[in-house]
Structures are given as structure tokens and as C-alpha cells.
Amino acid sequence: MDELVREARDAWAAQDWERSATLYEQLAVQAPDDPRVGEWWYDAALAYKFRRNWAQAYRLGVHAAAHAARGGQDPAFWNLGIAATIQRDWVTARDAWESFGIELPPGEGPIVGNFGRACVRLVGAAGSEVVWVQRLCPTRARVINVPFDTSRRYGEIVVHDGEPKGDRVVGDRTYRVFDELMLFEPSDLPTLTVTVTAEPAGIEALADLFDANGFGFEPLRNGYVLCRCCSEGSVTQEAESLGGEQRCLIAAPLDRAGELLDAWQRSITGTWIDLHIAT
């Protein structure tokens, strides 16, 4: 038994997640009365989480949670909540979050609550990008700004990890940054690009107009590039007043975007040109 424990630990240290998970599960099955059995189930499930093998993380996570104390914020429940969410087992996901100690909105099926705003580090065709999200549950969140990487979209629902990897500070508030685990539900809103010219108040009014209609609007000058070390640290963001000619991204159907831009142009001293699908 001690030799098997050493092998499992060595595989873990080498980040050989598949072998580590197999060995920890073998230990748990062979010695169900060992006081370490809960840790073994947990490590086996966590190794499969690192592998993004969600079916196995879910299966072993159920065993890990069975050995965890309810209501004490045991991470076994958190990892099971993530895996069960990805498997769309809402009964198990709800039970896991409540067992961790989180109060959920009542109901059945997918959890749709107000868990606050945060940031998620998306992975797209152009690399990683931190975007703003509205959290729907402890692990699902809706993207609420237009990603600069056009392989990703405004309105997507993503699953994010539970361990923060950085902060964004806006005024006196700090928002956590979480890594994306997977795209959960795609968005059918295309990303468009347009050039607008107006005073700062006019551009803000245009952003508000798109937001009020359930669409996204993002001046390209709002984005900036950070190295990985800085991105995973604490970054202070200040709102910039943008005026003059601005190239912007829009998340909306092409015809509807044109209608809103025309309405804005009639009511504001501003102009727009060159609206098309972003590539």
C-alpha cells in the first residue's frame, strides 16, 4: 500500500494526471476504510479535472463528496459542482453547491442567479483575453463585453474555474479574474466593426443604446495588452473618456445594428461609416 501511495504521489508531482488518477482510485477501492480514502477520491477527481476529463471528474467527484463534511466549504463539493454542471446534472450540481455552503435561488434545472460581476480569461484563436462577465452560478457566467478576438462572442456562457488568477480594480471595487474551463453555450450574435465619430458623451450614449437593446458595443481603444505575469496580478483599470473618431466592435445582427446607428445619428451630433462583419 505504501508503495502505491508513493507511485501516486510521484505521478502527481510529474503532472501525469491520468496515471495519478488511476492510482488514487485504485488506492481508494482497495482500502475503503483507510482514513485517507476521502483524500484519495478527491485527488483522483482533481487529476481528471486537470485533464479536462469531465465525465471521470464527475464520477470520482461523487465519491469524494461522499467523504466530505457538508456545509464546511470542502473543495470536494466545489469540484463536483463544476463537473456536474458541465455534465448538466443539475440535481447533483445544486446539491454540491449547497453542500459547499452556497445559497442558491430556488428551482430546478440550470441555476440562473445574480452572483455578481467578475472577469474571465477566455481562450480564443488569437490567444487569451480577459473579458467582463455576469456570473449566473458559482461556475457559469455570461460574457457581457464584446471580445476583441472575433472567434469569441458577446453573450456566450462559459464555465470558469473556482481559483482566481488575478484581479481587476475599478474605483474602490475589486473583481476577481477566473480562467475559462470551457464554452458552455455559444452566442448567435455576430461581431461587427464600425467607425463612429462623436464627442465622448455621444459615444457613451451609443454604448448605452446598444446595451439597452441587449447588444454589445466596445471601442477598440478600451483594450490593452498585458504579459501573463501582469494579467494574473492585480490590475487597476480606469474609465477612459473616448471622443473623436473611434473604431468600435458591435455585437448585434447587421441590420439591427444599422438601425440603431441611424437612430443614434439622428439624435446625437455624430456620424458612423463602414459597418461590416469583423474578421
Side-chain angles (χ1 to χ4, degrees):
M1 183 66 67
D2 289 341
E3 178 61 28
L4 200 59
V5 171
R6 281 194 294 272
E7 289 181 21
R9 289 175 177 169
D10 289 345
W12 185 281
Q15 297 186 3
D16 185 346
W17 305 124
E18 192 80 29
R19 176 168 171 74
S20 180
T22 299
L23 292 171
Y24 276 124
E25 181 179 7
Q26 184 178 342
L27 282 164
V29 170
Q30 289 183 357
D33 297 324
D34 191 290
R36 297 168 291 179
V37 68
E39 299 173 16
W40 294 338
W41 284 121
Y42 174 80
D43 287 340
L46 185 59
Y48 276 123
K49 174 176 179 280
F50 292 154
R51 284 274 292 153
R52 303 296 191 260
N53 185 332
W54 299 112
Q56 290 286 61
Y58 168 82
R59 179 180 67 84
L60 297 173
V62 170
H63 291 287
H67 290 81
R70 291 177 175 265
Q73 298 190 342
D74 193 297
F77 292 115
W78 193 279
N79 287 339
L80 177 59
I82 292 174
T85 295
I86 291 173
Q87 297 298 106
R88 289 174 165 77
D89 179 350
W90 302 112
V91 172
T92 300
R94 285 176 174 272
D95 182 67
W97 299 128
E98 289 174 343
S99 296
F100 184 83
I102 296 172
E103 183 177 352
L104 300 177
E108 300 178 353
I111 302 162
V112 182
N114 181 7
F115 285 77
R117 292 197 173 184
C119 295
V120 168
R121 186 174 288 105
L122 300 181
V123 178
S128 63
E129 175 182 352
V130 175
V131 299
W132 289 94
V133 299
Q134 177 66 42
R135 298 178 71 195
L136 305 175
C137 77
T139 195
R140 285 163 44 256
R142 187 186 305 277
V143 176
I144 57 173
N145 68 267
V146 187
F148 294 157
D149 184 335
T150 56
S151 70
R152 307 306 301 264
R153 290 188 171 185
Y154 172 94
E156 292 177 344
I157 296 177
V158 300
V159 176
H160 63 77
D161 209 350
E163 179 186 4
K165 293 290 183 64
D167 296 311
R168 296 297 181 267
V169 181
V170 181
D172 60 354
R173 296 196 61 180
T174 298
Y175 301 87
R176 312 313 299 270
V177 180
F178 301 96
D179 284 343
E180 177 188 25
L181 294 176
M182 66 173 290
L183 173 63
F184 191 76
E185 291 180 13
S187 169
D188 60 1
L189 288 176
T191 300
L192 316 175
T193 182
V194 68
T195 297
V196 301
T197 303
E199 295 297 320
I203 292 178
E204 291 174 10
L206 183 56
D208 291 341
L209 178 62
F210 275 96
D211 181 65
N213 283 271
F215 303 129
F217 178 87
E218 196 76 42
L220 287 174
R221 279 179 56 189
N222 276 347
Y224 49 93
V225 177
L226 297 172
C227 68
R228 179 175 178 178
C229 180
C230 292
S231 178
E232 294 184 355
S234 182
V235 179
T236 299
Q237 297 186 197
E238 296 181 2
E240 185 177 356
S241 183
L242 300 176
E245 184 178 282
Q246 300 290 329
R247 197 67 186 166
C248 305
L249 296 177
I250 291 172
L254 187 60
D255 57 349
R256 187 73 179 112
E259 292 171 1
L260 291 174
L261 286 164
D262 283 340
W264 169 78
Q265 187 171 254
R266 288 192 297 269
S267 62
I268 295 290
T269 305
T271 61
W272 67 271
I273 59 171
D274 194 21
L275 174 67
H276 60 271
I277 299 287
T279 58

